[in-house]
């Protein structure tokens, strides 16, 4: 649990399963993560036709990248979920899969359908920003 960042909700806006903003106190380190892609270690896209499994894999890859920074999903302050589809149900499938991985941490997010993503057969990608307490110097 990251006790420094706060997620902000609003009773005056639609009730959603994500917060409307996150507040990062000054003095924290911000981590801008590369888009998490459903790639195996050989750089091949896993589960080429499956939005749910690609979304799951993206979260696993995001967790791995965060771990390299001594961070976890609880430190994430913003995500953007990109889904290569013109079909809303595909976006919802990816969103619900990713959202469930975040549990109580209802990080502010944007969900977008895009025409195509960077790797052949890639359907899902997650961008994330995280905030960590500064390492003591
Ligand atoms: C985050 C989300 N579900 C949306 O629609 O932007």
């Amino acid at each position: 649990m990251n006790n420094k960042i706060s997620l902000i909700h609003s009773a005056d806006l639609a009730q959603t399963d994500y917060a409307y903003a996150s507040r990062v106190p000054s003095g924290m380190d911000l981590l801008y993560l590369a888009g998490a892609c459903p790639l195996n270690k050989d750089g091949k896209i896993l589960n080429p036709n499956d939005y749910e499994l690609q979304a799951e894999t993206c979260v696993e890859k995001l967790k791995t990248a965060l771990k390299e920074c001594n961070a976890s999903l609880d430190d994430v302050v913003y995500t953007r979920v990109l889904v290569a589809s013109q079909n809303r149900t595909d976006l919802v499938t990816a969103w619900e899969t990713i959202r469930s991985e975040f549990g109580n941490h209802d990080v502010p997010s944007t969900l977008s359908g895009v025409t195509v993503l960077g790797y052949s057969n890639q359907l899902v990608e997650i961008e994330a920003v995280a905030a960590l307490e500064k390492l003591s110097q």
Side-chain angles (χ1 to χ4, degrees):
M1 183 68 149
N2 185 323
N3 293 317
K4 295 274 182 178
I5 62 174
S6 27
L7 302 183
I8 296 157
H9 303 84
S10 173
D12 293 328
L13 294 171
Q15 297 311 293
T16 55
D17 59 354
Y18 50 89
Y20 277 99
S22 50
R23 184 168 191 269
V24 178
S26 65
M28 293 188 82
D29 284 336
L30 292 178
L31 309 171
Y32 293 87
L33 290 111
C37 299
L39 290 172
N40 69 14
K41 265 191 120 174
D42 298 327
K44 295 251 163 34
I45 288 292
L46 296 161
N47 304 113
N49 301 310
D50 193 312
Y51 286 90
E52 184 175 349
L53 290 178
Q54 285 205 11
E56 267 178 32
T57 307
C58 287
V59 175
E60 286 312 309
K61 303 305 172 188
L62 176 60
K63 284 182 185 171
T64 302
L66 287 163
K67 197 169 164 200
E68 290 293 336
C69 309
N70 295 314
S72 72
L73 291 182
D74 283 341
D75 300 307
V76 174
V77 296
Y78 179 73
T79 69
R80 179 166 23 224
V81 176
L82 304 173
V83 182
S85 178
Q86 294 188 343
N87 185 345
R88 239 192 101 260
T89 59
D90 296 331
L91 275 70
V92 171
T93 296
W95 170 254
E96 288 180 346
T97 304
I98 293 162
R99 176 66 192 84
S100 71
E101 296 281 341
F102 276 81
N104 290 333
H105 189 62
D106 58 346
V107 61
S109 299
T110 301
L111 173 63
S112 295
V114 297
T115 311
V116 67
L117 288 166
Y119 292 94
S120 186
N121 297 316
Q122 182 184 4
L123 303 175
V124 184
E125 182 158 343
I126 307 171
E127 296 176 12
V129 179
L132 274 188
E133 287 192 61
K134 275 198 186 304
L135 296 176
S136 53
Q137 298 169 5

